[in-house]
Amino acid sequence: MIVDCAVYRDGHRSEGLDDLSDALAAARAVGGFVWIGLHEPSEKEFERVTEEFGLHPLAVEDALNAHQRPKLEVYDDSLFVVLKPVVYEPESDAVSTGEVMIFLGDGFAVTVRHGEGSPLAAVRRRLEEEPELLEKGPTSVLYAIADATVDHYLEVATELQTDMEELEAEVFSPEVGGSRNTASRIYTFKRQVLEFRRATGPLALPLTRLAGTGPTGGGGVAFVDDKARPFFRDVSDHLTRVNESVDGLDRLVSDILSAHLAQTSVRQNDDMRKISAWAAMAAIPTMIAGIYGMNFEHMPELHWVWSYPAVIVVMAALEVLLYRLFKRRGWL
């Protein structure tokens, strides 16, 4: 469905026309551009947009099917960019991703959004409050969406860092560190970091191309105003910070998992030492009682009056001796 359609001229908005070809013609006639926003369009709904703006069929297929990696593709009549906004859900401490596809061409910008998170209405309103930026044409739409997406990455990275600190406290807590659910929580958190990385990592190359700092050097990107490069460099710098943060989280969660497994192993060794110590202490009286429990008629001290108290005293003395020995060695 079409969420919004407007024509922009000299940095100011005028409502779009019902007919897409009329809106595009009107935008080109006044030296402006038309921005059409769609949310999860059907193939039939998007067919009109494809015909009016001459979008490449491969890009159209990607826009309809979604589930794409962040990328930038240049076609004859348009530029196609895929972004993956990330949403942090505080109730479940989970990360979910959506998709935004952006088509830029001569006098038009078409955005296709998949998922309920990260609506573009706020981005449009913020951009409309900056006429000097809107004057740069469709490039301003790409910049505004990329900037908002990466800025939200920073917020999500901060939330994940907070979750990481809570997980660290749980792992190294003497009371909770041995919980059976701890390893499961660590693995779930690692999956969240991986989901975040899939959104932020592949976006680095498209942004460096837009910023003019990619492998191609200073070559420009078609349908993107060269004067917007400093803006994209700023977004690229923010994304670099995000990717560094994600790398740090990934390494740290792996270290935490290793530390948790090591702690579990140490606790198991401690338990085994305690069990072994108590078993050794129980073996001494068991051995003595077993010897004197044999049904032989001729045994030393069997008919001695003080034999029973003597055996009890010997057992007690040996138990005290073993207890102090194991205690001193830290086994008990």
Side-chain angles (χ1 to χ4, degrees), residues 69-319:
R69 297 174 75 251
K71 63 180 181 178
L72 183 152
E73 299 285 351
V74 179
Y75 298 102
D76 293 337
D77 298 321
S78 63
L79 173 72
F80 179 61
V81 179
V82 178
L83 303 175
K84 292 182 75 70
V86 175
V87 178
Y88 178 82
E89 301 171 0
E91 297 81 8
S92 57
D93 293 337
V95 170
S96 60
T97 58
E99 289 188 44
V100 175
M101 285 79 169
I102 307 166
F103 294 88
L104 296 187
D106 181 18
F108 70 86
V110 177
T111 55
V112 181
R113 182 168 61 89
H114 291 268
E116 297 299 326
S118 301
L120 299 179
V123 177
R124 188 186 287 259
R125 286 195 301 269
R126 192 192 75 177
L127 189 57
E128 289 173 353
E129 293 173 358
E130 302 182 34
E132 67 282 357
L133 188 56
L134 265 175
E135 289 179 355
K136 297 185 181 298
T139 302
S140 62
V141 176
L142 176 59
Y143 162 72
I145 297 174
D147 184 52
T149 300
V150 174
D151 283 348
H152 196 62
Y153 287 166
L154 291 169
E155 297 174 9
V156 173
T158 301
E159 295 289 350
L160 289 177
Q161 184 65 44
T162 301
D163 289 346
M164 171 65 76
E165 293 171 358
E166 294 175 357
L167 195 58
E168 272 185 307
E170 177 181 333
V171 168
F172 293 103
S173 169
E175 294 83 9
V176 189
S179 172
R180 295 181 179 179
N181 295 328
T182 302
S184 176
R185 285 198 59 196
I186 295 173
Y187 178 76
T188 301
F189 185 83
K190 192 171 181 64
R191 288 298 300 249
Q192 302 300 327
V193 174
L194 178 61
E195 185 72 14
F196 193 24
R197 182 196 290 274
R198 287 173 178 168
T200 63
L203 185 57
L205 182 57
L207 280 181
T208 54
R209 288 182 61 188
L210 292 169
T213 57
T216 57
V221 178
F223 307 105
V224 176
D225 189 345
D226 290 340
K227 295 181 180 178
R229 287 184 183 181
F231 295 94
F232 287 110
R233 278 199 294 269
D234 181 66
V235 178
S236 181
D237 289 341
H238 289 176
L239 181 66
T240 300
R241 288 173 49 197
V242 171
N243 284 328
E244 290 174 351
S245 178
V246 172
D247 290 340
L249 287 172
D250 188 48
R251 289 193 300 270
L252 191 55
V253 73
S254 297
D255 292 342
I256 287 179
L257 180 58
S258 299
H260 172 67
L261 295 177
Q263 282 185 324
T264 301
S265 178
V266 169
R267 290 191 191 94
Q268 289 175 345
N269 290 336
D270 288 341
D271 292 340
M272 288 302 299
R273 282 200 300 265
K274 291 179 181 179
I275 293 172
S276 300
W278 286 111
M281 292 172 63
I284 297 297
T286 301
M287 181 188 67
I288 296 174
I291 291 174
Y292 281 91
M294 293 186 294
N295 294 320
F296 294 120
E297 182 176 353
H298 302 288
M299 293 184 67
E301 294 85 28
L302 190 61
H303 300 288
W304 184 38
V305 176
W306 298 101
S307 61
Y308 178 75
V311 168
I312 296 299
V313 170
V314 170
M315 287 182 179
L318 290 175
E319 290 297 299

